[in-house]
Amino acid sequence: QTIAPSMMPPQQEQSTPTTTAPSSSPPSSPSNIKCITTLNPTTPTGMGMSIAWDCTFSPDGNLLATCHGSPSPRIQVWQISYIDSDSDSDPDSGEYEFTHLQTLSDVHERTVRSISFHPSSRILASASFDGTVGIWEKNNADFWDCSSQIEGHENEVKGVVWSRSGMLLATCGRD
């Protein structure tokens, strides 16, 4: 699961890598975007490795979610922590730490293709090739639980996205 497309570092063995942030040049220039880390979570017992299909940051910037396919359809949720550098408090000059928080599984039977955070950052929607959309809510203990599984697509669900207001959820699929 690579965060950005260029300058891929060697594989990390730990699940909480510390990384240097991208340069402070304008992010609109593709030449200024670089990979700051590769996340390699410890695979839970009984779950094989699988590619990441999608990733998304929460609107509040505190979480990163990745979604995966066979042989173990799941979502990984990561906490993002800014580590203040000694020089100043500019987030572009410090380091970030990604800590694996939770694996969300046992809801989708096939590949989880797309994920989207609600504007509140406390709800996550997931689209799956099993034809369902999962709605995950962060509870008061900061754990994610699947609160509902929406059916209605006749085939694979390929995408899911919340509106800016959070009042609408759009999905698309192969129906």
Side-chain angles (χ1 to χ4, degrees):
Q1 307 91 306
T2 303
I3 293 179
S6 63
M7 296 175 47
M8 196 162 139
Q11 296 235 346
Q12 305 276 337
E13 291 299 320
Q14 58 191 15
S15 63
T16 57
T18 301
T19 59
T20 303
S23 69
S24 59
S25 300
S28 59
S29 172
S31 64
N32 294 328
I33 298 172
K34 53 185 147 181
C35 181
I36 59 172
T37 191
T38 299
L39 302 174
N40 293 311
T42 303
T43 304
T45 304
M47 292 187 166
M49 294 302 290
S50 63
I51 63 169
W53 282 88
D54 193 13
C55 61
T56 186
F57 288 101
S58 61
D60 66 9
N62 294 322
L63 300 171
L64 172 69
T66 60
C67 62
H68 306 265
S70 295
S72 52
R74 67 190 180 279
I75 300 163
Q76 305 279 9
V77 181
W78 305 83
Q79 176 73 44
I80 305 168
S81 302
Y82 172 69
I83 302 169
D84 194 13
S85 65
D86 293 333
S87 59
D88 57 35
S89 61
D90 177 12
D92 290 335
S93 66
E95 293 183 343
Y96 291 91
E97 182 177 81
F98 294 80
T99 305
H100 183 252
L101 292 180
Q102 190 175 351
T103 298
L104 312 179
S105 59
D106 300 326
V107 170
H108 294 298
E109 296 174 10
R110 293 183 58 204
T111 294
V112 182
R113 176 61 178 89
S114 176
I115 48 180
S116 178
F117 276 103
H118 183 271
S120 70
S121 297
R122 298 192 61 80
I123 302 172
L124 181 67
S126 57
S128 172
F129 285 177
D130 66 9
T132 66
V133 172
I135 304 297
W136 304 82
E137 295 186 58
K138 190 174 182 182
N139 64 29
N140 291 335
D142 286 338
F143 285 100
W144 294 85
D145 297 311
C146 184
S147 60
S148 63
Q149 193 169 10
I150 303 169
E151 297 179 356
H153 281 275
E154 295 178 12
N155 211 322
E156 299 173 349
V157 185
K158 300 281 192 175
V160 63
V161 65
W162 290 97
S163 65
R164 280 189 179 191
S165 68
M167 297 298 291
L168 300 172
L169 178 67
T171 65
C172 63
R174 289 188 60 180
D175 348 51

